[in-house]
């Protein structure tokens, strides 16, 4: 049903290599509490290096939920990760914006609020995100509080939590407690923990992982291995190495708190061997996504990978075709959680307002494609076809009129005016239409209703900490 | 292995509806010889309407080859249709060009020669095509002779034959006789015969079909049904109707000459219900392509469908993502023959030099994606990974150096310069790079060698007929 690229034998070879790496080479966990957890459960550890046996890993994986729901403050916006349909979330972590007028520029907190409003308004983004860009002009140590606040206020879609160590995690939960009005008893956010390839984790990320696991809030554990520099030049080698990294981190999550929702994640890809730069619009990225989704299914876990990804620095044809290759392959492969579903340019270095709405259109198209074709006596429509007969026209048929508003996907910004219409309309490009659309959406945005006490408490919480 | 959208039961429902249509409603064949062939074989015919029973159709399909080779004058350029890999051919039949400077303009014969040279130069186009655009400034009745000549002279890739009735077909064979130096004893071209939806064929197309079948030269028989106007508004209904049309035409080809290579083709899609315009960048187009490829496999025939298709009138992000959705789905679905693999804009109304090279890049990316991932002990590379260990780098490893030039796909025009590089390079867009690339390719083009006698005979043949 889902697209595949690995045979059963391929998966077994990769699995065996990962198990040998975990047992013989080990993984770096430079965090005292993490090391203590491993040791308490009888894992071999030397310094910060932990060694894991196949039995230990496979036992830990048994408690990973195959799917879970992230609750939003508006229950209609809840999302389920791992049910066979993709959850789309915006781009994450871009240090820059690309402005179609001036090119590269630094994002401000004002940009951040605009982007958070847009994340709410765009119809195909299921989550509103966090860290869409890294806003300047605010203290960097507490910027995540202002970002969390922006998502909680401007949107009732589920948000992504902070991964800024133990403190970022705890602040996320405290703010969520205010937003949901009580102690958290179910998943209300998700956090992105990245490994430090090859075969390690950073202290900060482990801090976040421990807190999320203790709170039983979901965590994506993902590798971004660069094949040819931080990973082997062969994709099979990248898969084996990142699989070892990921399974080690996932094992830790289950040791801390069995049943913690975790997602098996990857954004690993090749580097361009001419420049050494990360290549996220490459066919290799898509190959990795397919293989990664297969491995996740093999282990019975939800997956994260892919997105609307490009190496282009402007929302042009390259950005369009690379992003569609990435996103369509992501969904064809059955990936559960799609971070970077919209907005990314320049190999994760930049976010773009125009790309955000263009990619949201891609998300909608791909979703519609996967709804399939209904084949039943009514849709096969023998009687209609026989009645119209050879040379006839269906425009005025009752069936056509009845279904004309609902049968087909309707674009939000794709041009279908035709050649003459395009000439008469002043030869607008997709960027022109995208800009008009985001400006209109932002102008029309209204924050979803929030009771005054909650609003004040959230505001006070953030104000007190950013002074 | 290939992407699917229909269940076995869906296929059976569609098949049964088609069979009922063929038996009870019939198909229009307004061509005396075609009617005579049907009658001679015992088919029921009334006026120009032919009725086909399931037995008659299924018997005719038995002689359709599952695959066939089209021979080029350079045998290294031969292509096989139906072997499980796609054959890419350029866009076809565009009445206009889109010039990035001025927009819509009429193509000249000079444009035609430039495009034919480009079709030869582009690395991912397997055939050089015909009727890339409809050139103005030459007598329209004999323009196909000049086009055939352009493809034969500028390229040694296989060309597509003329479908301009009996005469176009015969001239194609006579010119091929000159080119190949003797009577045709194997497929050396392929012709595009379109049905006239719903449930009919034009006299001219039937003329071409008869000649190609008699000469045992391959024919694509394809429907372009517009769901909601020339076809039912439901995709299942479109599939049932076009399947009836196509099987009727294919039956005729096998009655004339059993074993004639034919391709089961479709470019059917929905219309935009707001404008009534054809929508070829739609998700419905992609859904139709997947279903069509499945039906072709069900009947054991090679298929044609999809391509790098867009409704955009400029090679922008929309053109990029719509074209990638179409082409990637086409290849994922296992379509055998991909007409319109490159160059099309504005719902088939226009061809673009820049889009031609951008789409060729898409073709290459998709082909590379389908090469898969090699998983064996050498590529899994346990020893290399164990040696590098946690925190290490692979850049200087022997394996990396050995494979650094060959392991990954190399773009021809995708920008991987990064954000700073893009800013410093003057913020070029994909259109800028595409223009530079096609101009360079055309400037560097040299016609493949051709002996003087053949060149003179081809030239004389065309000159005599266009006076």
């Amino acid at each position: 049903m889902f697209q595949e690229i690995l045979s059963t034998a391929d998966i077994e070879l990769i699995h065996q290599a990962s198990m040998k790496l975990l047992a013989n080479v080990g993984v770096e966990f430079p965090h005292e509490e993490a090391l203590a957890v491993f040791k308490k459960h009888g894992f071999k550890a030397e310094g910060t290096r932990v060694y894991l046996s196949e039995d230990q890993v496979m036992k830990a994986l048994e408690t990973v939920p195959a799917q879970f729901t992230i609750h939003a403050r508006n229950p209609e916006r809840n999302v389920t990760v791992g049910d066979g349909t993709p959850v789309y979330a915006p781009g994450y972590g871009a240090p820059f914006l690309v402005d179609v007028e001036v090119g590269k520029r630094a994002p401000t907190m004002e940009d951040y609020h605009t982007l958070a409003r847009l994340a709410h308004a765009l119809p195909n983004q299921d989550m509103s995100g966090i860290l869409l860009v890294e806003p300047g002009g605010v203290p960097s140590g507490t910027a995540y509080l202002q970002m969390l606040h922006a998502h909680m206020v401007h949107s009732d879609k589920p948000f992504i939590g902070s991964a800024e160590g133990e403190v970022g995690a705890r602040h996320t939960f405290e703010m969520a407690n205010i937003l949901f009005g009580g102690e958290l008893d179910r998943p209300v956010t998700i956090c992105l923990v990245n490994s430090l390839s090859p075969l390690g984790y950073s202290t900060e990320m482990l801090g976040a992982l421990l807190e999320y696991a203790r709170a039983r809030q979901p965590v994506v554990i993902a590798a971004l291995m660069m094949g040819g520099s931080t990973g082997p030049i062969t994709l099979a080698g990248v898969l084996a190495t990142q699989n070892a990294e990921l399974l080690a981190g996932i094992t830790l999550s289950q040791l801390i708190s069995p049943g913690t929702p975790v997602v098996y994640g990857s954004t690993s890809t090749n580097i361009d061997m001419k420049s050494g730069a990360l290549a996220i619009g490459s066919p290799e990225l898509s190959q990795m996504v397919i293989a990664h989704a297969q491995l996740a299914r093999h282990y019975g876990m939800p997956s994260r990978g892919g997105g609307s990804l490009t190496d282009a620095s402007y929302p042009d044809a390259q950005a369009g075709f690379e992003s569609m290759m990435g996103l369509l392959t992501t969904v064809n492969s059955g990936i559960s959680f799609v971070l970077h579903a919209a907005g990314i340019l320049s190999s994760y270095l930049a976010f773009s307002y125009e790309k955000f709405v263009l990619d949201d259109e891609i998300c909608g198209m791909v979703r519609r494609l996967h709804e399939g074709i209904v084949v039943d006596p009514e849709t096969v429509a023998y009687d209609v076809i026989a009645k119209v007969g050879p040379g006839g026209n269906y425009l005025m048929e009752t069936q056509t009129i009845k279904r004309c508003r609902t049968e087909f996907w309707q674009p939000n910004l794709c041009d279908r005016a035709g050649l003459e219409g395009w000439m008469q309309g002043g030869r607008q490009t997709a960027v022109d239409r995208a800009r008009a659309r985001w400006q209109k959406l932002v102008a029309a945005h209204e924050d979803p209703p929030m009771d005054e006490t909650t609003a004040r408490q959230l505001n006070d919480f953030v104000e007190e900490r950013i002074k």
Side-chain angles (χ1 to χ4, degrees), chain A:
Chain A
M1 175 178 154
F2 293 120
Q3 188 168 12
E4 299 191 339
I5 197 168
L6 301 178
S7 68
T8 308
D10 292 342
I11 291 174
E12 189 55 28
L13 262 185
I14 291 164
H15 171 77
Q16 290 306 337
S18 302
M19 292 302 127
K20 264 175 76 182
L21 289 169
L22 288 172
N24 301 334
V25 179
V27 176
E28 285 290 319
F29 283 93
H31 191 289
E32 279 192 23
E33 286 180 79
L35 289 167
V37 170
F38 276 120
K39 284 179 191 163
K40 191 183 116 191
H41 286 86
F43 286 66
K44 180 179 155 196
E46 288 169 2
T48 52
R49 185 81 57 98
V50 177
Y51 300 86
L52 304 90
S53 74
E54 179 162 6
D55 285 351
Q56 288 171 322
V57 172
M58 297 318 285
K59 184 157 180 292
L61 293 190
E62 283 173 11
T63 56
V64 175
Q67 61 171 255
F68 58 90
T69 296
I70 306 174
H71 295 264
R73 67 168 161 118
N74 173 356
E76 289 175 16
R77 304 281 199 181
N78 291 355
V79 297
T80 299
V81 177
D83 67 356
T85 62
V87 170
Y88 292 137
Y92 181 95
F96 300 104
L97 272 172
V98 164
D99 184 309
V100 292
E101 299 290 351
V102 302
K104 172 187 165 188
R105 78 171 169 82
T108 64
M109 201 64 216
E110 197 184 329
D111 285 313
Y112 201 89
H113 283 282
T114 308
L115 290 172
R117 291 183 180 103
L118 206 43
H120 179 69
L122 287 173
N124 295 299
Q125 300 308 299
D126 301 313
M127 299 190 68
S128 73
I130 194 155
L131 197 56
L132 308 171
V133 291
E134 293 177 6
V138 292
S140 65
T142 52
Y144 68 88
L145 292 169
Q146 289 171 272
M147 291 190 255
L148 278 167
H149 193 206
H151 290 284
M152 290 179 178
V153 167
H154 298 318
S155 184
D156 58 5
K157 294 179 182 178
F159 58 91
I160 296 177
S162 168
E164 303 228 0
E166 283 91 344
V167 179
R170 284 182 205 142
H171 283 161
T172 301
F173 306 149
E174 289 179 62
M175 289 177 73
N177 284 342
I178 298 171
L179 188 69
F180 286 88
E183 285 297 305
L184 300 179
D185 56 356
R186 60 208 157 138
V188 298
T189 186
I190 188 166
C191 168
L192 296 160
V193 164
N194 291 319
S195 58
L196 192 62
S197 298
L199 299 172
Y201 287 85
S202 73
T203 307
E204 185 187 35
M205 284 292 175
L206 289 170
L209 173 58
L210 263 81
E211 288 298 324
Y212 276 82
R214 282 179 188 136
R216 298 180 71 83
Q217 292 295 317
V219 186
V220 178
I221 301 184
L224 169 45
M225 192 171 285
M226 298 163 70
S229 70
T230 64
I233 194 167
T234 53
L235 297 187
V238 174
L239 287 165
T241 320
Q242 78 169 14
N243 187 43
E245 278 173 31
L246 297 173
L247 294 182
I250 291 167
T251 295
L252 175 60
S253 74
Q254 301 303 304
L255 296 179
I256 297 164
S257 190
T260 294
V262 286
V263 178
Y264 176 84
S266 166
T267 52
S268 298
T269 184
N270 63 307
I271 58 169
D272 185 279
M273 295 307 297
K274 283 183 186 160
S275 63
L278 190 69
I280 70 173
S282 67
E284 287 82 5
L285 181 285
S286 285
Q287 292 179 325
M288 285 294 296
V289 166
I290 306 169
H292 184 75
Q294 280 189 263
L295 285 163
R297 281 194 292 279
H298 174 75
Y299 294 117
M301 294 187 284
S303 54
R304 177 219 148 183
S308 297
L309 303 177
T310 184
D311 302 309
S313 295
Y314 186 85
D316 59 10
Q318 178 190 343
F321 67 65
E322 288 184 341
S323 296
M324 177 58 92
M325 173 174 246
L327 204 275
L328 181 54
T329 302
T330 299
V331 178
N332 286 345
S333 305
I335 290 284
S336 324
F337 184 79
V338 189
L339 192 73
H340 305 301
I344 289 294
L345 278 178
S346 204
S347 320
Y348 300 127
L349 275 181
F351 205 101
S352 151
Y353 287 97
E354 288 76 18
K355 180 86 172 2
F356 204 9
V357 299
L358 287 162
D359 289 345
D360 192 71
E361 188 91 336
I362 290 179
C363 289
M365 291 171 74
V366 170
R367 192 165 261 165
R368 176 55 175 257
L369 172 54
H370 272 266
E371 286 173 11
I373 299 177
V374 179
V375 181
D376 61 25
E378 194 190 330
T379 58
V380 167
Y382 174 82
D383 292 340
V384 184
I385 304 165
K387 179 188 156 223
V388 171
N393 195 293
Y394 290 79
L395 258 179
M396 300 312 293
E397 285 303 305
T398 311
Q399 191 193 39
T400 306
I401 293 162
K402 207 175 82 185
R403 291 172 175 256
C404 73
R405 286 174 199 282
T406 53
E407 191 69 13
F408 301 133
W409 178 78
Q410 294 283 353
N412 287 305
L413 59 74
C414 283
D415 178 21
R416 290 180 173 177
L419 194 54
E420 278 308 318
W422 175 70
M423 288 298 287
Q424 284 162 20
R427 297 199 267 143
Q428 288 209 328
T429 67
V431 165
D432 299 327
R433 291 191 301 281
R435 180 157 47 177
R437 177 161 162 76
W438 76 253
Q439 289 175 343
K440 192 176 155 191
L441 287 171
V442 170
H445 171 85
E446 288 181 21
D447 287 349
M450 179 182 281
D451 73 83
E452 273 180 41
T453 310
T454 306
R456 196 187 59 245
Q457 287 179 343
L458 278 177
N459 200 60
D460 291 351
F461 185 92
V462 174
E463 287 297 319
E464 281 166 23
R465 283 163 185 80
I466 64 172
K467 268 172 194 159

